[in-house]
Amino acid sequence: MDLLRAIEASNFSTWVRESGSIWSYPTIIFFHSVGLAIIVGLSTAIDLRVLGFAPGIPVGPMEKLFPIMWAGFWVNAVSGLFLTMADAPAMLTSWLFLLKMAIIGLALVTMASMKRELFRKPTRGDVMSGTAKALALTSLVLWTGAITAGRLTAYLGPSADIKGTP
Amino acid sequence: MVRSLSIWLHSTSLSWAARGGLPWLWPLCETLHFIGMAMLIGIVGLLDLRMLGFVKGLPLRPLQRLLPWGVAGFVLNMITGVVFYAGDPFQYIDNKVFWLKIAFIALAGVNVLLFYATGLSRRVDEVGAGEDVPGAARVVAAASLFLWFGVLYWGRMLPFLGGAF
């Protein structure tokens, strides 16, 4: 707990939370939304295809989307780390925040499993296995959960004030 | 007109509910607003990326079959957006950041209209795997990415530059 308080009190965390600079909290949280849109948005597109919507889309080329999705993830890992540091004691002792981390962990495992399932050689081509469909459904549920938990963490910690949460 | 509409909205029970009459309505709509955003930017952004020459292996006609899901995200965000606006119209009505967001949405709409009205969408429909779209479609795709991430930017800035929540 002392460590968490020290992180929260550090110059960087204080700047993020209290400087009022457009480059601090606002820009960091903007990037956090951009990364979300990229990883969740593209995952959703793949999941919908796997579940049988837009069946005319060849699945093979979708492999190229995975590096873009991982880029979205890293944007959010870094921006999320900064946001967490600014509210370290409130975040890291909150079951909601820890639940969000757990859901994201599961979502990433699902994403990696989906890549293996879809693109392992020899490829199954455009016929989707039951496993792939189950992974797609799991992915949609987990990302919905991650967004929900993430939205609710906005109401935790000292930074909640600068976000003007009603 | 906007003012009288806002005054009326503020008097509705929807406004009461959004303002805290239904305590969980606001956070619920915020969550749905982010889900809609991810659907819209994910699907539209994927089409834009393809038109710009990434993931060229994807033929465009079947890819456009995903578009209704992007539209669904947009509709979800319009509905939840109206809830936010009804909840406290007066924090938005003279708010430059809010109107910038609306302007970017309108420009994105014009961009879509141009894409369909000029017949560009039909030409793009014929673009198969590995082929390039017409130059004009690349411009539309780049504008779309810029505008939708712009909408996200202004929306995200509402609490910070716009003083709204």
Side-chain angles (χ1 to χ4, degrees):
Chain A
M1 198 62 191
D2 284 345
L3 176 67
L4 299 183
R5 283 207 196 88
I7 293 171
E8 187 186 42
S10 69
N11 286 336
F12 179 73
S13 301
T14 308
W15 175 76
V16 168
R17 193 176 59 243
E18 293 169 22
S19 71
S21 162
I22 190 68
W23 302 110
S24 65
Y25 202 95
T27 299
I28 297 170
I29 203 138
F30 166 64
F31 276 106
H32 206 60
S33 308
V34 170
L36 179 163
I38 293 172
I39 187 167
V40 178
L42 292 179
S43 292
T44 304
I46 293 171
D47 295 338
L48 290 172
R49 165 62 187 89
V50 168
L51 288 172
F53 302 96
I57 301 175
V59 169
M62 287 187 136
E63 190 170 5
K64 289 213 172 111
L65 295 177
F66 280 79
I68 307 176
M69 285 147 68
W70 281 109
F73 167 74
W74 284 110
V75 167
N76 275 24
V78 173
S79 55
L81 176 67
F82 293 167
L83 297 171
T84 307
M85 287 170 69
D87 286 323
M91 289 297 172
L92 289 161
T93 56
S94 156
W95 64 268
L96 188 59
F97 176 81
L98 299 175
L99 176 67
K100 175 180 168 179
M101 291 303 108
I103 294 175
I104 291 173
L106 290 174
L108 294 175
V109 171
T110 306
M111 194 169 120
S113 312
M114 178 71 99
K115 184 164 186 253
R116 244 194 337 271
E117 179 64 22
L118 292 181
F119 310 114
R120 65 179 171 200
K121 310 290 180 228
T123 163
R124 289 167 163 276
D126 289 342
V127 182
M128 294 297 108
S129 65
T131 311
K133 286 181 182 177
L135 287 170
L137 210 55
T138 309
S139 158
L140 289 173
V141 170
L142 288 172
W143 286 125
T144 304
I147 289 179
T148 308
R151 262 323 305 174
L152 297 181
T153 57
Y155 301 86
L156 300 172
S159 293
D161 293 338
I162 62 168
K163 282 168 282 185
T165 348
Chain B
M1 195 194 83
V2 176
R3 192 160 292 276
S4 53
L5 183 72
S6 300
I7 291 168
W8 171 75
L9 261 176
H10 194 245
S11 71
T12 60
S13 47
L14 175 65
S15 176
W16 168 83
R19 249 178 288 140
L22 284 181
W24 287 102
L25 184 61
W26 191 283
L28 173 70
C29 286
E30 285 270 18
T31 303
L32 293 174
H33 210 64
F34 273 75
I35 291 170
M37 180 273 280
M39 284 167 70
L40 173 63
I41 294 191
I43 305 292
V44 172
L46 173 57
L47 271 155
D48 292 338
L49 283 179
R50 167 61 185 93
M51 291 201 277
L52 287 170
F54 298 95
V55 284
K56 265 168 85 170
L58 298 176
L60 272 147
R61 194 193 302 273
L63 200 56
Q64 298 202 52
R65 294 278 297 278
L66 285 177
L67 261 179
W69 293 91
V71 175
F74 180 76
V75 171
L76 184 60
N77 279 20
M78 282 235 302
I79 295 169
T80 48
V82 167
V83 174
F84 299 139
Y85 192 90
D88 193 352
F90 306 109
Q91 71 171 342
Y92 300 116
I93 192 164
D94 295 316
N95 190 326
K96 206 166 67 187
V97 175
F98 173 75
W99 290 110
L100 274 166
K101 178 174 180 180
I102 298 297
F104 269 59
I105 295 171
L107 286 172
V110 170
N111 195 43
V112 171
L113 275 181
L114 285 175
F115 184 64
Y116 286 96
T118 57
L120 203 49
S121 73
R122 280 194 301 278
R123 285 164 67 197
V124 164
D125 246 0
E126 304 303 322
V127 175
E131 297 171 1
D132 283 317
V133 300
R138 283 170 181 260
V139 177
V140 166
S144 167
L145 277 180
F146 171 76
L147 289 168
W148 286 119
F149 277 108
V151 171
L152 176 57
Y153 180 77
W154 295 121
R156 221 31 277 207
M157 286 307 119
L158 270 169
F160 308 109
L161 297 176
F165 47 77

